[in-house]
Amino acid sequence: MPAPVFGALLTLSFAPYDYCYFALIALVFFYLFCMVQPAARAALCGYLFGLGLFGFGIWWVYISIHDFGGADPISSGLLALLLVSIWALFPAITAYFSAKLLAMKGVWFRLLAVGLVWVAVEYFRGYWLLNGFPWLQVAYGQLNTPLAGYAPVVGVYGMGFLLAVSAALLAEAWRVRTLRLPGVLMLCAIWGGGGLLQGVNWTNAIGSPIKVTLVQGNIAQDQKWQNDQMLNTLRLYLRLTEQHWDSDVIIWPETAIPAFLAEVKDFYLDPLSAKAREKGVDLVVGLPSNGVGNDYYNSVITLGETEAIYHKHHLLPFGEYLPLQPLSGWVLDQLQIPLGNFALGGARQSLLKAGGYPFVTTICYEDAFGELMSRQVGQAAYLVNVTNDGWFGNTSQPYQHMQMAQMRALETGRYLLRATNTGLTGFVGPNGKILAQAPLFTTTTLTSTIIPMAGLTPYARWGDRAVFGGLILLVGMVWSLVRYAGR
């Protein structure tokens, strides 16, 4: 089977397909490519693997560019192809260095080193390059496997490392008969250890249950920002909210209000906040807000007993700001694709509070960054994510995004409340499992109870940098042993 097929096979390990063990199979063949070919040819196979992975996995960017960005089909297809072609470079880089490492001495060093290379490249792609694009990182497809037990300990990158090492070990054992018994024992230790860790409760309840209602307005993306629809939208959210004044907290999605804070404060938000105080309810509402001068923010406000605001910190490239200026701006101007240019919220904003407890706020794809949540979660009793995935239609993207949110709940040992415009709205437990979920493209509300939590998982205490530091130290120690034994 050619490399692109195995890349596509890896995509099937993610939601909504959830064939989680396909990831292990795909990576075994990825490492076999790297073992039997020179580094340059392995890189080519890695690139083809990446084309299959991203071509099948993020094709939905075409929907955003064409259906909602207004670009013509040819331009939309070319831009989508360009993005897939760029992201496919990262499996190529991984394959190149893996081939180099797999030709070195010391089998255990080789296996650990290629695992480290895999997640190091994922980290660069997912956190640093163009503000990060962490989609289709291999660990997200492992929420229903024993490896999920490692998430509260080493996070998504530690899980990815263990999956990559497992695949490289199987590939090596396939080729080297004498490695099969120790390989099986090592795999049992890795996967069995994860299964045992799933029984550990890293955090604890600190209060009575909180009744929460999530509102899914289901405002069509092509109608959302039309001026003649704004009052209808405001009435809809008010009507859905008034049905749940018996809840402790009510959460609206990202930019639920299609107008700036200053434009709706006096006639809509102030009366709504007064009503919430009267009913003893806290509201969490997403909307854009003005800053200093011409700056504007993607924001979340709380109304009711406590009024405060959070501005989105980790912005979406090419959606909320334009990187690589002036080139990107010129290209988009030629294609006549209108995109926002939001200002950046502060990195150390105070936590918002609702239901009597502070919570970590993330807007849209901020929930894709574990370290962003872990640095604040020590003071928070639960997590809130407000999102609008309406840009991507009825595709795999909303399911992939929910899967990433599940990982954040599991890493931090907190309930996660996720309110979205068109879906998937849902409640996620501290074990990363979906407790309740609203269907896509339905105007509805979802009500459940959560328990405020305290305590820190090892991952929330350490963060990604410590995880990578530990992995580098481990690989370095094994390399030192290999060199010493070779003398």
Side-chain angles (χ1 to χ4, degrees):
M1 296 174 71
V5 174
F6 289 109
L9 188 70
L10 177 55
T11 304
L12 294 177
S13 68
F14 301 99
Y17 318 106
D18 291 319
Y19 296 108
C20 48
Y21 292 101
F22 279 15
L24 189 61
I25 297 171
L27 291 183
V28 166
F29 283 93
F30 177 88
Y31 285 117
L32 284 173
F33 297 152
C34 298
M35 289 175 180
V36 300
Q37 301 178 101
R41 188 165 180 80
L44 175 59
C45 286
Y47 187 73
L48 296 174
F49 182 94
L51 289 178
L53 171 63
F54 291 105
F56 190 53
I58 64 166
W59 66 270
W60 35 258
V61 298
Y62 174 88
I63 302 292
S64 178
I65 298 168
H66 175 261
D67 291 14
F68 303 112
D72 63 85
I74 294 177
S75 298
S76 301
L78 289 174
L79 275 177
L81 180 60
L82 176 62
L83 288 173
V84 169
S85 301
I86 291 172
W87 298 126
L89 290 170
F90 293 94
I93 293 169
T94 302
Y96 178 84
F97 287 106
S98 295
K100 292 284 189 181
L101 289 166
L102 289 167
M104 297 176 70
K105 294 181 179 179
V107 61
W108 297 110
F109 163 73
R110 295 198 300 267
L111 298 177
L112 295 175
V114 297
L116 178 58
V117 166
W118 182 279
V119 292
V121 173
E122 279 197 336
Y123 184 64
F124 179 73
R125 168 174 72 86
Y127 200 86
W128 293 108
L129 184 67
L130 299 179
N131 219 26
F133 185 75
W135 250 258
L136 302 184
Q137 293 181 336
V138 290
Y140 287 114
Q142 302 304 300
L143 285 170
N144 295 318
T145 74
L147 290 183
Y150 291 103
V153 182
V154 292
V156 69
Y157 293 107
M159 281 179 63
F161 169 80
L162 292 171
L163 177 62
V165 168
S166 298
L169 180 57
L170 285 172
E172 190 81 52
W174 192 329
R175 297 177 64 243
V176 182
R177 188 182 300 270
T178 56
L179 191 61
R180 290 177 184 175
L181 179 58
V184 168
L185 295 176
M186 178 61 75
L187 283 175
C188 289
I190 292 173
W191 291 72
L196 292 174
L197 286 171
Q198 286 182 306
V200 177
N201 294 318
W202 300 100
T203 55
N204 57 279
I206 57 172
S208 301
I210 302 170
K211 187 176 182 180
V212 180
T213 294
L214 309 176
V215 181
Q216 182 171 293
N218 192 38
I219 308 298
Q221 197 60 37
D222 57 357
Q223 300 291 316
K224 185 177 177 67
W225 296 101
Q226 293 188 14
N227 290 333
D228 60 352
Q229 293 298 316
M230 185 182 75
L231 289 179
N232 291 333
T233 298
L234 297 180
R235 292 189 190 106
L236 171 66
Y237 276 100
L238 182 59
R239 175 172 59 82
L240 294 173
T241 297
E242 288 176 336
Q243 298 171 6
H244 296 281
W245 285 130
D246 59 336
S247 294
D248 300 307
V249 178
I250 300 174
I251 304 176
W252 298 5
E254 178 188 13
T255 58
I257 296 178
F260 286 101
L261 172 61
E263 296 175 325
V264 294
K265 185 178 187 304
D266 293 338
F267 82 92
Y268 188 77
L269 292 178
D270 285 348
L272 182 61
S273 187
K275 188 68 172 181
R277 283 193 299 272
E278 176 189 332
K279 297 293 185 179
V281 180
D282 291 314
L283 291 176
V284 181
V285 176
L287 80 174
S289 64
N290 295 101
V292 178
N294 294 324
D295 286 344
Y296 55 94
Y297 300 95
N298 191 350
S299 304
V300 168
I301 61 172
T302 51
L303 303 173
E305 188 65 30
T306 303
E307 296 188 0
I309 191 166
Y310 166 82
H311 301 309
K312 187 175 182 181
H313 171 67
H314 207 116
L315 300 178
L316 177 67
F318 301 106
E320 293 171 317
Y321 84 103
L322 297 178
L324 305 178
Q325 288 279 46
L327 175 62
S328 62
W330 180 83
V331 171
L332 294 173
D333 285 342
Q334 299 307 305
L335 297 175
Q336 296 184 339
I337 299 176
L339 292 176
N341 196 14
F342 286 90
L344 185 70
R348 298 289 179 180
Q349 301 176 61
S350 298
L351 296 183
L352 301 181
K353 186 176 181 180
Y357 294 92
F359 59 89
V360 174
T361 308
T362 55
I363 300 176
C364 193
Y365 98 134
E366 282 186 316
D367 64 351
F369 302 95
E371 192 150 303
L372 188 66
M373 285 193 174
S374 67
R375 71 172 68 134
Q376 306 175 79
V377 77
Q379 302 172 352
Y382 58 98
L383 313 174
V384 170
N385 174 251
V386 297
T387 288
N388 177 25
D389 282 333
W391 295 97
F392 305 102
N394 189 12
T395 66
S396 59
Q397 190 275 346
Y399 298 92
Q400 294 170 359
H401 198 177
M402 172 58 93
Q403 199 169 48
M404 300 168 92
Q406 291 176 251
M407 184 66 76
R408 303 292 85 82
L410 181 58
E411 287 174 339
T412 59
R414 299 291 196 278
Y415 285 85
L416 183 140
L417 319 177
R418 189 164 186 266
T420 70
N421 176 30
T422 57
L424 298 162
T425 293
F427 290 86
V428 182
N431 60 358
K433 303 298 183 183
I434 296 174
L435 305 176
Q437 182 171 276
L440 281 172
F441 302 109
T442 304
T443 301
T444 188
T445 59
L446 194 65
T447 300
S448 187
T449 58
I450 66 163
I451 300 173
M453 307 293 287
L456 288 175
T457 64
Y459 171 75
R461 192 180 302 276
W462 300 334
D464 289 326
R465 289 176 177 82
V467 170
F468 273 101
L471 294 178
I472 292 170
L473 180 62
L474 173 63
V475 174
M477 289 174 59
V478 175
W479 170 240
S480 298
L481 291 173
V482 170
R483 291 192 63 187
Y484 181 79
R487 291 180 178 178

